[in-house]
């Protein structure tokens, strides 16, 4: 996820701080279901690109955040067909799909719209 209070010189140069609404949604789900904090490794990256930590894992074309990356995945009863792949890793960067996966994998609630 992106670190909060980042600057974006492309939008303004007045020093305003920003946050990523999609990252906040996923952070909120994780805080809402604290057990997720014990089963997920949560990392925060800088807004500015290139985001080397992400590039090293899933390639330069896949730097969007939030992103859920699965390493050493094993077949279980969770549908992974909507994940993208890069080398030996699976990943998704859609908040809706991240929430779907967390619900299916860890038994948390699903969004009610």
């Amino acid at each position: 996820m992106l670190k909060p209070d980042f600057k974006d010189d492309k939008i303004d140069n007045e020093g305003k701080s920003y946050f990523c609404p999609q990252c906040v949604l996923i952070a909120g789900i994780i805080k809402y279901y604290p057990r997720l904090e014990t089963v997920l490794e949560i990392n925060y990256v800088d807004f500015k690109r290139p985001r080397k930590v992400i590039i090293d894992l899933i390639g330069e074309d896949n730097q969007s955040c939030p992103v859920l990356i699965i390493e050493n995945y094993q077949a279980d009863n969770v549908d992974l067909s909507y994940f993208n792949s890069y080398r030996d890793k699976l990943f998704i960067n859609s908040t809706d799909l991240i929430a779907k996966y967390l619900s299916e994998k860890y038994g948390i609630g699903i969004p009610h719209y």
Side-chain angles (χ1 to χ4, degrees), residues 66-82:
V67 62
L68 174 69
I69 301 170
I70 300 176
E71 298 181 89
N72 304 319
Y73 56 91
Q74 298 176 0
D76 52 19
N77 293 332
V78 177
D79 177 17
L80 301 175
S81 65
Y82 51 90

Side-chain angles (χ1 to χ4, degrees), residues 7-57:
K7 310 291 187 214
D8 187 350
D9 295 335
K10 291 181 182 177
I11 294 176
D12 69 66
N13 56 6
E14 297 176 17
K16 293 179 185 173
S17 294
Y18 295 91
F19 68 89
C20 169
Q22 294 82 12
C23 291
V24 168
L25 176 67
I26 298 303
I29 291 171
I30 293 167
K31 289 295 181 186
Y32 204 64
Y33 294 98
R35 70 181 178 270
L36 293 176
E37 293 178 294
T38 66
V39 294
L40 299 175
E41 180 182 330
I42 302 161
N43 295 291
Y44 293 88
V45 297
D46 292 326
F47 172 74
K48 189 173 180 180
R49 291 179 186 225
R51 298 176 181 143
K52 184 171 175 12
V53 173
I54 297 174
I55 291 170
D56 289 349
L57 293 171

Side-chain angles (χ1 to χ4, degrees), residues 64-113:
S64 296
C65 289
V67 62
L68 174 69
I69 301 170
I70 300 176
E71 298 181 89
N72 304 319
Y73 56 91
Q74 298 176 0
D76 52 19
N77 293 332
V78 177
D79 177 17
L80 301 175
S81 65
Y82 51 90
F83 277 72
N84 298 305
S85 63
Y86 183 84
R87 297 187 180 149
D88 64 339
K89 295 172 183 59
L90 297 177
F91 69 95
I92 47 174
N93 57 13
S94 157
T95 53
D96 288 340
L97 293 178
I98 292 171
K100 173 182 169 44
Y101 172 79
L102 295 175
S103 175
E104 292 174 356
K105 176 74 175 176
Y106 300 107
I108 66 169
I110 58 173
H112 183 280
Y113 297 105

